[in-house]
Amino acid sequence: MSTENEGTEVPPAPSAPPVPVETPAASAEPTHPSAPDLAAPSPVASAQEPTAHQAPAHAGAAAGAPQHAAPHASGAWPPPPPPAVPSYAQGGGSGSGWGASYAAQHPEGPKPASRRGGLIAAVLVAALVAGGVGGGIGFWAADRNDNSTGSTTVSASDTPADLKRDPGTVADIANKALPSVVTIEAQGGNGEGGTGTGFVYDKQGHILTNNHVVASAADGGKVAATFSDGKKYDAEVVGRAEGYDVAVLKLKSPPSNLKPLPLANSDKVAVGDSTIAIGAPFGLSNTVTTGIVSAKDRPVTSSDGASSKSSYMSALQTDASINPGNSGGPLLDAGGAVIGINSAIKPAESGGGLGGGGQSGSIGLGFAIPVNQAKYVAQQLIKTGQAVYPVIGASVALEEKAGGATISQEGASGTEAVTPNGPADKAGLKPGDVITKLDDTVINSGPTLIGQIWTHKPGDTVEITYTRDGKEHKVDVVLGERKGES
């Protein structure tokens, strides 16, 4: 019971718009002997279960508006409904809707309602009217959809194949580069071999790749290159450099429309530059992945797993996903030019790189031979069939430990560690000296020193910082050369 309007009766609102009447005398209970039938309550009452037997009070009555006598001959309550039913009250159905006669629904008169009940009922009426409008709109929309024969899906204005890719996007670069990238199949005389990647180096049909991709077929084996359009060509090994891990192939019957990939200046690459790798990871040809240059001048030692010889590089590190089969493929910059040859990865488990016996996948640590170095090696291989290496004429320990590259006490096969009259000898270096810098690059091991020396050419002058008996010294060394594999 409401305490807001204690002791005052408020007549309930009929289902039709109310007609002013004289306020009846206050009474706690109705004077009629029987209660309304609860078996068939009105729609509003059913929505307000606590007062299901009461008709809702009109908002004006709940607000305490003055009441006046209705001009009705008999004075009976409720008064007759107006001549017409309001438009919002149509569709009652079975005499129990909003358009039904109040007297027909309540022959003995309603029980007076409290003011709070009137307020709640008025709100419910408004809500039902709004709901009816919403439902009408919903039905109209559904009816239109039912009559429609079109699809409710939305189509793009252009299909992906018709979209224009802006210059410099990955899609644009890949579209231009893929026709110049090949999947290489190498098979040795014993039937063993593998799959790798290469790319068109020049219009004469030379293909640049890794040595470990074709090493098994170098002596009496078979090599084939398949382009992105599916056309396959036989090839031969022109030359290979184990130390650099670079090899050059030549297509036996090259097509006339070869498009060499442009070569960038890898010395100008910066950490953070975008990268795009193309290759055949695990044999999945024409795979494109992206990343950035994660580091430069990263000392990397790798092996093809079938030889006791290792290759050394001062590599570009990238987080572009490269896996076994990407070996020899191009690492491109944001302009689509080659900045490196993908050659090795650091696998999740201990073991070798892309040429090793394991098949570990990428963990975001990939390494590429800088293209400036690869280009120099390729030129030598095409010209003479063998690589030319810059040297200092001294043997160093290959243990990868911090502190520098220590000149050995003895060279390979019992030879002298410092070649007589060689570059190191002329500069005054001796066994036991620890080389800690080459120019401005810190040297922390023998492999790091070799990789840095091989970024130069024979005849270049480099500054070497070394320690002897605890004292630091600096000396200029003119690099010598070594032809072929030792």
Side-chain angles (χ1 to χ4, degrees), residues 13 61 81 155 169 184 192 246 251 258 310 315 348 350 363-364 382 407 413 434:
S155 299
T169 61
I184 297 173
E192 296 183 358
V246 173
L251 300 178
L258 287 176
S310 298
S350 61
I363 58 171
I382 293 172
I407 298 179
S413 302
V434 180

Side-chain angles (χ1 to χ4, degrees), residues 137-222:
I137 294 175
F139 174 81
W140 176 79
D143 183 64
R144 288 180 62 87
N145 285 337
D146 287 343
N147 294 333
S148 175
T149 59
S151 172
T152 58
T153 60
V154 179
S155 299
S157 58
D158 294 304
T159 60
D162 297 330
L163 293 176
K164 181 180 180 181
R165 272 74 183 183
D166 293 332
T169 61
V170 174
D172 176 64
I173 293 172
N175 183 59
K176 293 177 180 177
L178 278 168
S180 300
V181 179
V182 298
T183 299
I184 297 173
E185 297 173 60
Q187 186 176 23
N190 58 1
E192 296 183 358
T195 301
T197 309
F199 61 92
V200 178
Y201 177 72
D202 58 26
K203 294 184 178 181
Q204 286 69 46
H206 289 108
I207 303 295
L208 199 55
T209 187
N210 282 141
N211 169 68
H212 73 257
V213 170
V214 300
S216 62
D219 299 317
K222 296 180 180 180

Side-chain angles (χ1 to χ4, degrees), residues 3-430:
T3 58
E4 178 183 331
N5 197 28
E6 191 76 33
T8 303
E9 292 184 356
V10 179
S15 59
V19 178
V21 296
E22 182 176 350
T23 304
S27 174
E29 297 293 336
T31 58
H32 50 78
S34 61
D37 184 5
L38 298 181
S42 68
V44 173
S46 66
Q48 189 178 350
E49 294 180 0
T51 56
H53 64 289
Q54 300 175 359
H58 187 266
Q67 307 294 314
H68 302 281
H72 188 258
S74 63
W77 178 264
V85 179
S87 60
Y88 60 79
Q90 299 299 328
S94 302
S96 61
W98 287 16
S101 168
Y102 184 91
Q105 296 182 52
H106 302 280
E108 297 181 10
K111 182 178 179 178
S114 67
R115 174 175 296 184
R116 180 175 61 181
L119 285 171
I120 296 175
V123 173
L124 287 174
V125 170
L128 288 173
V129 172
V133 173
I137 294 175
F139 174 81
W140 176 79
D143 183 64
R144 288 180 62 87
N145 285 337
D146 287 343
N147 294 333
S148 175
T149 59
S151 172
T152 58
T153 60
V154 179
S155 299
S157 58
D158 294 304
T159 60
D162 297 330
L163 293 176
K164 181 180 180 181
R165 272 74 183 183
D166 293 332
T169 61
V170 174
D172 176 64
I173 293 172
N175 183 59
K176 293 177 180 177
L178 278 168
S180 300
V181 179
V182 298
T183 299
I184 297 173
E185 297 173 60
Q187 186 176 23
N190 58 1
E192 296 183 358
T195 301
T197 309
F199 61 92
V200 178
Y201 177 72
D202 58 26
K203 294 184 178 181
Q204 286 69 46
H206 289 108
I207 303 295
L208 199 55
T209 187
N210 282 141
N211 169 68
H212 73 257
V213 170
V214 300
S216 62
D219 299 317
K222 296 180 180 180
V223 181
T226 303
F227 283 80
S228 60
D229 61 3
K231 294 181 179 180
K232 190 173 183 178
Y233 298 85
D234 290 334
E236 60 182 352
V237 179
V238 172
R240 58 196 186 94
E242 294 181 83
Y244 291 117
D245 197 16
V246 173
V248 176
L249 306 180
K250 176 73 181 295
L251 300 178
K252 292 184 177 180
S253 299
S256 59
N257 60 343
L258 287 176
K259 294 182 179 180
L261 289 180
L263 307 181
N265 182 354
S266 54
D267 291 340
K268 301 296 184 181
V269 172
V271 173
D273 284 350
S274 297
T275 59
I276 301 172
I278 303 179
F282 297 104
L284 300 174
S285 302
N286 310 315
T287 296
V288 178
T289 56
T290 63
I292 62 169
V293 175
S294 303
K296 295 179 61 177
D297 301 321
R298 186 72 77 191
V300 174
T301 304
S302 65
S303 172
D304 60 10
S307 172
S308 59
K309 295 183 179 180
S310 298
S311 60
Y312 304 91
M313 68 184 88
S314 182
L316 295 175
Q317 181 181 325
T318 180
D319 66 347
S321 180
I322 56 178
N323 292 281
N326 275 102
S327 292
L331 184 67
L332 309 176
D333 63 13
V338 181
I339 59 174
I341 300 177
N342 299 317
S343 301
I345 62 172
K346 173 63 178 175
E349 59 193 49
S350 61
L354 293 181
Q359 289 290 299
S360 300
S362 171
I363 58 171
L365 296 174
F367 305 97
I369 302 168
V371 75
N372 287 9
Q373 183 182 49
K375 178 181 178 181
Y376 168 74
V377 176
Q379 290 172 341
Q380 297 298 322
L381 294 175
I382 293 172
K383 183 179 180 180
T384 68
Q386 60 182 353
V388 177
Y389 297 89
V391 297
I392 62 170
S395 297
V396 294
L398 297 180
E399 292 83 2
E400 295 188 16
K401 58 183 180 180
T406 303
I407 298 179
S408 305
Q409 295 296 327
E410 186 179 272
S413 302
T415 60
E416 295 187 60
V418 178
T419 304
N421 205 35
D425 187 36
K426 290 180 180 179
L429 294 172
K430 298 179 180 181

